Coordinates of all heavy atoms in Angstrom, one line a residue:
V1313 N 84.7 126.5 107.2 CA 83.5 125.9 106.7 C 83.8 125.0 105.6 O 84.5 125.4 104.6 CB 82.5 127.0 106.2 CG1 81.2 126.3 105.6 CG2 82.1 128.0 107.2
S1314 N 83.5 123.7 105.7 CA 83.6 122.7 104.6 C 82.4 122.8 103.8 O 81.3 122.4 104.3 CB 83.9 121.3 105.2 OG 84.0 120.4 104.1
A1315 N 82.4 123.4 102.7 CA 81.2 123.8 101.9 C 80.9 122.9 100.8 O 81.8 122.6 99.9 CB 81.4 125.2 101.4
T1316 N 79.7 122.4 100.8 CA 79.2 121.6 99.6 C 78.1 122.3 98.9 O 77.8 122.0 97.7 CB 78.7 120.2 100.1 OG1 77.6 120.5 101.0 CG2 79.8 119.3 100.7
N1317 N 77.6 123.3 99.5 CA 76.5 124.1 99.0 C 76.6 125.6 99.5 O 77.3 125.8 100.4 CB 75.1 123.6 99.4 CG 74.8 122.2 98.8 OD1 75.2 121.2 99.3 ND2 74.0 122.2 97.7
P1318 N 75.9 126.5 98.9 CA 75.8 127.8 99.5 C 75.2 127.7 100.9 O 74.5 126.7 101.2 CB 74.8 128.5 98.5 CG 75.0 127.9 97.2 CD 75.2 126.4 97.6
M1319 N 75.4 128.7 101.7 CA 74.8 128.6 103.0 C 74.3 130.0 103.5 O 74.9 131.0 103.0 CB 75.7 128.0 104.1 CG 77.0 128.8 104.3 SD 78.0 128.0 105.6 CE 77.3 128.6 107.1
V1320 N 73.4 130.1 104.4 CA 72.9 131.3 105.0 C 73.8 131.6 106.2 O 73.9 130.9 107.2 CB 71.5 131.2 105.4 CG1 71.0 132.5 106.1 CG2 70.6 130.9 104.2
F1321 N 74.6 132.8 106.1 CA 75.5 133.1 107.1 C 75.0 133.9 108.3 O 75.7 134.2 109.2 CB 76.7 133.8 106.5 CG 77.8 132.9 105.9 CD1 77.7 132.4 104.6 CD2 78.8 132.5 106.7 CE1 78.7 131.6 104.1 CE2 79.8 131.6 106.2 CZ 79.7 131.2 104.9
G1322 N 73.8 134.4 108.1 CA 73.3 135.4 109.1 C 73.3 135.1 110.5 O 73.6 135.9 111.4
D1323 N 73.1 133.8 110.8 CA 73.1 133.4 112.3 C 74.5 133.2 112.8 O 74.7 133.3 114.0 CB 72.4 132.0 112.4 CG 70.9 132.2 112.3 OD1 70.4 133.3 112.5 OD2 70.2 131.2 111.9
V1324 N 75.5 132.9 111.9 CA 76.8 132.5 112.5 C 77.9 133.5 112.2 O 78.9 133.5 113.0 CB 77.2 131.1 111.8 CG1 76.3 130.0 112.3 CG2 77.3 131.1 110.3
E1325 N 77.8 134.2 111.1 CA 78.9 135.2 110.8 C 79.2 136.1 111.9 O 80.4 136.4 112.3 CB 78.6 135.9 109.5 CG 79.7 137.0 109.1 CD 79.4 138.3 109.7 OE1 78.2 138.7 109.7 OE2 80.4 139.0 110.0
P1326 N 78.2 136.8 112.6 CA 78.5 137.7 113.7 C 79.2 137.1 114.9 O 79.8 137.8 115.7 CB 77.1 138.3 114.1 CG 76.3 138.0 112.9 CD 76.8 136.7 112.3
L1327 N 79.2 135.8 115.0 CA 79.8 135.1 116.1 C 81.3 134.8 116.0 O 81.9 134.4 117.0 CB 79.1 133.7 116.4 CG 77.6 133.8 116.6 CD1 77.0 132.4 116.6 CD2 77.3 134.5 117.9
V1328 N 81.9 135.1 114.8 CA 83.3 134.7 114.6 C 84.0 135.9 114.0 O 83.5 136.9 113.5 CB 83.4 133.5 113.6 CG1 82.6 132.3 114.2 CG2 82.8 133.9 112.2
D1329 N 85.3 135.8 114.2 CA 86.2 136.9 113.7 C 86.9 136.6 112.4 O 87.3 137.5 111.7 CB 87.4 137.0 114.8 CG 86.8 137.3 116.2 OD1 86.1 138.3 116.4 OD2 87.0 136.4 117.0
G1330 N 86.9 135.4 112.0 CA 87.5 135.0 110.7 C 86.7 133.8 110.1 O 86.3 132.9 110.9
I1331 N 86.6 133.8 108.8 CA 85.9 132.7 108.1 C 86.8 132.2 106.9 O 87.1 133.1 106.0 CB 84.5 133.1 107.6 CG1 83.6 133.5 108.7 CG2 83.9 131.9 106.9 CD1 82.3 134.0 108.3
L1332 N 87.2 131.0 106.9 CA 87.8 130.3 105.7 C 86.8 129.3 105.2 O 86.2 128.5 105.9 CB 89.1 129.6 106.1 CG 90.2 130.5 106.6 CD1 91.4 129.7 107.1 CD2 90.7 131.5 105.5
L1333 N 86.6 129.4 103.9 CA 85.7 128.5 103.2 C 86.6 127.5 102.4 O 87.4 127.9 101.6 CB 84.8 129.3 102.2 CG 83.5 128.6 101.7 CD1 82.5 128.4 102.9 CD2 82.9 129.5 100.7
E1334 N 86.3 126.2 102.6 CA 87.1 125.2 101.8 C 86.2 124.2 101.1 O 85.1 123.9 101.6 CB 88.2 124.5 102.7 CG 87.6 123.8 103.9 CD 87.3 122.3 103.6 OE1 87.7 121.9 102.5 OE2 86.9 121.6 104.5
F1335 N 86.7 123.7 100.0 CA 85.9 122.8 99.2 C 86.7 121.5 99.0 O 86.9 121.0 97.9 CB 85.7 123.4 97.8 CG 85.0 124.8 97.9 CD1 85.7 126.0 97.8 CD2 83.6 124.9 98.1 CE1 85.1 127.2 97.8 CE2 83.0 126.1 98.1 CZ 83.7 127.3 98.0
G1336 N 87.1 120.9 100.1 CA 87.8 119.6 100.1 C 89.3 119.8 100.0 O 89.9 119.6 99.0
V1337 N 89.9 120.2 101.2 CA 91.3 120.4 101.3 C 91.8 119.6 102.6 O 91.0 119.3 103.4 CB 91.7 121.8 101.3 CG1 91.2 122.6 100.1 CG2 91.3 122.5 102.6
Q1338 N 93.1 119.4 102.6 CA 93.7 118.8 103.8 C 93.8 119.8 104.9 O 93.9 121.0 104.7 CB 95.1 118.2 103.4 CG 95.0 117.1 102.5 CD 96.3 116.8 101.7 OE1 96.4 117.3 100.6 NE2 97.2 116.2 102.3
V1339 N 93.9 119.3 106.1 CA 94.0 120.2 107.3 C 95.3 121.0 107.1 O 95.3 122.2 107.6 CB 94.0 119.4 108.6 CG1 94.4 120.3 109.8 CG2 92.7 118.7 108.8
S1340 N 96.3 120.5 106.6 CA 97.6 121.2 106.5 C 97.4 122.4 105.6 O 98.1 123.5 105.8 CB 98.7 120.3 106.0 OG 98.3 119.7 104.8
A1341 N 96.5 122.4 104.6 CA 96.3 123.6 103.8 C 95.6 124.7 104.6 O 96.0 125.9 104.4 CB 95.4 123.2 102.6
I1342 N 94.7 124.3 105.5 CA 94.1 125.3 106.4 C 95.2 125.9 107.3 O 95.3 127.1 107.5 CB 93.0 124.7 107.2 CG1 91.9 124.2 106.3 CG2 92.5 125.7 108.3 CD1 91.2 125.2 105.5
Q1343 N 96.1 125.1 107.8 CA 97.2 125.5 108.7 C 98.1 126.5 107.9 O 98.5 127.5 108.6 CB 98.0 124.4 109.2 CG 97.3 123.6 110.3 CD 98.2 122.4 110.7 OE1 97.9 121.2 110.5 NE2 99.3 122.7 111.4
D1344 N 98.3 126.3 106.7 CA 99.2 127.2 105.9 C 98.5 128.6 105.8 O 99.2 129.6 105.8 CB 99.5 126.6 104.6 CG 100.5 125.6 104.6 OD1 101.2 125.4 105.6 OD2 100.8 124.8 103.6
M1345 N 97.2 128.6 105.8 CA 96.5 129.9 105.7 C 96.5 130.5 107.1 O 96.8 131.7 107.2 CB 95.0 129.7 105.3 CG 94.8 129.2 103.9 SD 95.4 130.4 102.7 CE 95.4 129.4 101.2
L1346 N 96.3 129.8 108.2 CA 96.3 130.4 109.5 C 97.6 131.0 109.9 O 97.7 132.0 110.5 CB 95.9 129.3 110.5 CG 94.5 128.6 110.4 CD1 94.4 127.4 111.4 CD2 93.4 129.6 110.7
T1347 N 98.7 130.4 109.5 CA 100.0 130.8 109.8 C 100.6 131.8 108.9 O 101.6 132.5 109.2 CB 101.0 129.6 109.9 OG1 101.0 129.0 108.6 CG2 100.6 128.6 110.9
G1348 N 100.0 132.0 107.7 CA 100.5 132.9 106.7 C 101.5 132.3 105.8 O 102.1 133.1 105.0
R1349 N 101.8 131.0 105.9 CA 102.7 130.4 104.9 C 102.1 130.5 103.5 O 102.9 130.4 102.5 CB 102.9 129.0 105.3 CG 103.9 128.8 106.5 CD 104.4 127.4 106.6 NE 103.2 126.4 107.0 CZ 102.9 126.1 108.2 NH1 103.5 126.6 109.2 NH2 101.9 125.3 108.4
A1350 N 100.8 130.6 103.4 CA 100.1 130.8 102.1 C 99.1 131.9 102.3 O 98.6 132.1 103.4 CB 99.5 129.5 101.7
E1351 N 98.8 132.6 101.2 CA 97.8 133.7 101.3 C 96.6 133.3 100.5 O 96.6 132.7 99.4 CB 98.4 135.0 100.6 CG 97.5 136.2 100.7 CD 98.1 137.4 100.2 OE1 99.2 137.4 99.6 OE2 97.5 138.5 100.4
P1352 N 95.4 133.5 101.1 CA 94.2 133.1 100.4 C 94.0 133.9 99.1 O 94.4 135.1 98.9 CB 93.0 133.6 101.3 CG 93.7 133.8 102.7 CD 95.1 134.2 102.4
S1353 N 93.6 133.1 98.1 CA 93.4 133.7 96.7 C 92.1 133.2 96.1 O 91.8 133.7 95.0 CB 94.6 133.4 95.8 OG 94.7 132.1 95.6
G1354 N 91.4 132.3 96.7 CA 90.2 131.8 96.1 C 89.0 132.8 96.1 O 89.0 133.7 96.9
L1355 N 88.1 132.6 95.2 CA 87.0 133.5 95.0 C 85.7 132.6 95.0 O 85.7 131.5 94.6 CB 87.0 134.2 93.6 CG 88.3 135.1 93.4 CD1 88.3 135.5 91.9 CD2 88.3 136.3 94.3
L1356 N 84.6 133.2 95.5 CA 83.4 132.5 95.6 C 82.9 132.0 94.3 O 82.6 132.8 93.4 CB 82.3 133.3 96.3 CG 82.3 133.4 97.8 CD1 81.2 134.3 98.3 CD2 82.1 132.0 98.4
P1357 N 82.7 130.7 94.1 CA 82.2 130.2 92.8 C 80.7 130.0 92.9 O 80.1 129.4 92.0 CB 82.8 128.8 92.7 CG 83.0 128.4 94.1 CD 83.2 129.6 94.9
M1358 N 80.1 130.6 93.9 CA 78.6 130.5 94.1 C 78.2 131.8 94.9 O 79.0 132.5 95.4 CB 78.3 129.3 94.9 CG 79.0 129.2 96.3 SD 78.7 127.7 97.2 CE 79.6 126.5 96.3
Q1359 N 76.9 132.0 95.0 CA 76.3 133.0 95.8 C 76.0 132.5 97.2 O 75.5 131.4 97.3 CB 75.1 133.6 95.1 CG 75.3 134.3 93.8 CD 74.1 134.9 93.2 OE1 73.1 134.1 92.9 NE2 74.0 136.2 93.1
M1360 N 76.1 133.3 98.2 CA 75.7 133.0 99.5 C 74.4 133.8 99.8 O 74.5 135.0 99.9 CB 76.8 133.3 100.6 CG 78.0 132.5 100.4 SD 77.7 130.7 100.6 CE 79.3 130.0 100.1
P1361 N 73.3 133.1 100.0 CA 72.0 133.9 100.1 C 71.8 134.6 101.4 O 72.3 134.2 102.4 CB 71.0 132.7 100.0 CG 71.7 131.5 100.5 CD 73.1 131.7 100.0
I1362 N 71.1 135.7 101.3 CA 70.9 136.5 102.5 C 70.0 135.7 103.5 O 70.1 135.9 104.7 CB 70.2 137.9 102.2 CG1 70.1 138.8 103.4 CG2 68.9 137.7 101.5 CD1 69.7 140.2 103.1
D1363 N 69.1 134.9 103.0 CA 68.2 134.1 103.9 C 67.6 133.0 103.0 O 67.8 132.9 101.8 CB 67.1 135.0 104.5 CG 66.4 135.9 103.5 OD1 66.2 135.5 102.3 OD2 65.9 137.0 103.9
M1364 N 66.7 132.2 103.7 CA 66.0 131.2 102.9 C 64.9 131.7 102.1 O 64.5 131.0 101.1 CB 65.5 130.1 103.9 CG 66.6 129.2 104.4 SD 67.5 128.3 103.1 CE 66.1 127.3 102.3
A1365 N 64.4 132.8 102.4 CA 63.3 133.4 101.5 C 63.8 133.6 100.1 O 63.2 133.3 99.1 CB 62.8 134.7 102.1
T1366 N 65.1 134.1 100.0 CA 65.6 134.3 98.7 C 65.9 133.0 98.0 O 65.8 133.0 96.7 CB 66.9 135.2 98.7 OG1 67.2 135.7 97.4 CG2 68.1 134.5 99.2
V1367 N 66.2 132.0 98.7 CA 66.4 130.7 98.1 C 65.1 130.2 97.5 O 65.1 129.6 96.5 CB 67.0 129.7 99.2 CG1 67.0 128.3 98.6 CG2 68.4 130.1 99.7
E1368 N 64.0 130.3 98.2 CA 62.7 129.9 97.8 C 62.3 130.7 96.5 O 61.7 130.2 95.6 CB 61.6 130.0 98.8 CG 61.9 129.1 100.0 CD 61.7 127.7 99.8 OE1 61.3 127.3 98.6 OE2 61.9 126.9 100.7
K1369 N 62.6 132.0 96.5 CA 62.2 132.9 95.4 C 63.0 132.7 94.1 O 62.6 133.0 93.0 CB 62.2 134.3 95.9 CG 61.1 134.6 96.9 CD 61.2 136.0 97.5 CE 60.2 136.2 98.6 NZ 60.4 137.6 99.2
Q1370 N 64.3 132.3 94.3 CA 65.1 132.1 93.1 C 64.5 131.0 92.2 O 63.8 130.1 92.7 CB 66.6 131.8 93.5 CG 66.8 130.5 94.3 CD 67.0 129.3 93.5 OE1 67.5 129.3 92.4 NE2 66.5 128.1 94.0
Q1371 N 64.8 131.1 90.9 CA 64.3 130.1 90.0 C 65.4 129.0 89.8 O 66.6 129.3 89.5 CB 64.0 130.8 88.7 CG 62.8 131.7 88.9 CD 62.5 132.5 87.6 OE1 63.4 133.1 87.0 NE2 61.2 132.5 87.2
E1372 N 65.0 127.8 89.8 CA 65.9 126.6 89.8 C 66.9 126.7 88.6 O 68.0 126.2 88.7 CB 65.2 125.3 89.8 CG 64.6 124.9 91.1 CD 63.1 125.4 91.3 OE1 62.7 126.4 90.6 OE2 62.4 124.8 92.1
D1373 N 66.5 127.2 87.5 CA 67.3 127.2 86.3 C 68.0 128.5 86.0 O 68.8 128.5 85.0 CB 66.5 126.8 85.1 CG 65.4 127.8 84.8 OD1 64.8 128.4 85.8 OD2 65.1 128.1 83.6
M1374 N 67.8 129.5 86.8 CA 68.3 130.8 86.5 C 69.7 131.0 87.2 O 69.8 131.0 88.4 CB 67.3 131.9 87.0 CG 67.8 133.3 86.6 SD 67.9 133.7 84.9 CE 66.1 133.8 84.5
P1375 N 70.7 131.4 86.5 CA 72.0 131.6 87.1 C 72.0 133.0 87.9 O 71.4 133.9 87.5 CB 73.0 131.8 85.9 CG 72.3 131.1 84.8 CD 70.9 131.3 85.0
M1376 N 72.7 132.9 89.0 CA 73.0 134.2 89.7 C 71.8 135.1 90.0 O 71.8 136.3 89.9 CB 74.0 135.0 88.9 CG 75.3 134.3 88.5 SD 76.4 133.9 89.8 CE 76.5 132.1 89.6
D1377 N 70.8 134.5 90.6 CA 69.6 135.3 90.8 C 69.1 135.4 92.3 O 68.0 135.6 92.6 CB 68.4 134.7 90.0 CG 68.0 133.3 90.4 OD1 68.8 132.6 91.0 OD2 66.8 132.9 90.1
M1378 N 70.1 135.2 93.2 CA 69.8 135.4 94.6 C 70.3 136.7 95.2 O 71.3 137.2 94.8 CB 70.4 134.2 95.4 CG 69.8 132.9 95.2 SD 70.2 131.6 96.4 CE 72.0 131.4 96.1
E1379 N 69.5 137.2 96.1 CA 70.0 138.4 96.9 C 71.0 137.8 97.9 O 70.8 136.8 98.6 CB 68.9 139.0 97.7 CG 69.3 140.2 98.5 CD 68.2 140.9 99.3 OE1 67.0 140.4 99.2 OE2 68.4 141.8 100.0
T1380 N 72.2 138.4 98.0 CA 73.3 137.8 98.7 C 73.5 138.5 100.1 O 73.1 139.6 100.3 CB 74.6 137.8 97.9 OG1 74.8 139.2 97.4 CG2 74.5 136.8 96.8
Y1381 N 74.2 137.7 101.0 CA 74.5 138.2 102.3 C 75.6 139.2 102.4 O 76.6 139.1 101.8 CB 74.8 137.0 103.2 CG 75.1 137.3 104.6 CD1 74.1 137.7 105.5 CD2 76.5 137.3 105.1 CE1 74.4 138.0 106.8 CE2 76.7 137.6 106.4 CZ 75.7 138.0 107.3 OH 76.0 138.3 108.6
V1382 N 75.3 140.3 103.2 CA 76.3 141.3 103.4 C 76.7 141.2 104.9 O 75.8 141.3 105.8 CB 75.8 142.7 103.1 CG1 76.9 143.8 103.5 CG2 75.4 142.9 101.6
D1383 N 78.0 141.0 105.2 CA 78.4 140.7 106.6 C 78.6 142.0 107.4 O 78.3 143.2 106.9 CB 79.7 139.9 106.6 CG 80.9 140.6 106.1 OD1 80.9 141.8 106.0 OD2 81.9 139.9 106.0
S1384 N 79.0 141.8 108.6 CA 79.1 142.9 109.6 C 80.2 143.9 109.2 O 80.2 145.0 109.7 CB 79.4 142.4 111.0 OG 80.5 141.6 111.0
K1385 N 81.1 143.6 108.2 CA 82.1 144.5 107.7 C 81.7 145.1 106.4 O 82.5 145.9 105.8 CB 83.4 143.7 107.6 CG 84.0 143.1 108.9 CD 84.4 144.2 109.8 CE 85.0 143.8 111.1 NZ 85.3 144.8 112.1
G1386 N 80.5 144.8 106.0 CA 80.0 145.4 104.7 C 80.4 144.7 103.5 O 80.2 145.2 102.3

Side-chain angles (χ1 to χ4, degrees):
V1313 181
S1314 180
T1316 57
N1317 291 82
M1319 65 179 274
V1320 176
F1321 275 90
D1323 289 333
V1324 296
E1325 178 270 323
L1327 300 173
V1328 300
D1329 305 293
I1331 302 175
L1332 295 175
L1333 198 68
E1334 60 94 359
F1335 304 100
V1337 304
Q1338 293 159 263
V1339 172
S1340 53
I1342 298 298
Q1343 286 178 249
D1344 283 349
M1345 294 296 167
L1346 297 174
T1347 60
R1349 286 192 294 267
E1351 182 174 11
S1353 63
L1355 303 170
L1356 277 178
M1358 59 182 73
Q1359 296 180 298
M1360 296 299 173
I1362 187 171
D1363 53 28
M1364 281 303 298
T1366 196
V1367 174
E1368 295 291 358
K1369 293 174 183 176
Q1370 60 86 33
Q1371 296 175 308
E1372 285 91 339
D1373 63 322
M1374 181 67 74
M1376 307 290 124
D1377 65 338
M1378 290 194 293
E1379 183 182 356
T1380 48
Y1381 178 71
V1382 178
D1383 71 10
S1384 56
K1385 296 296 179 182

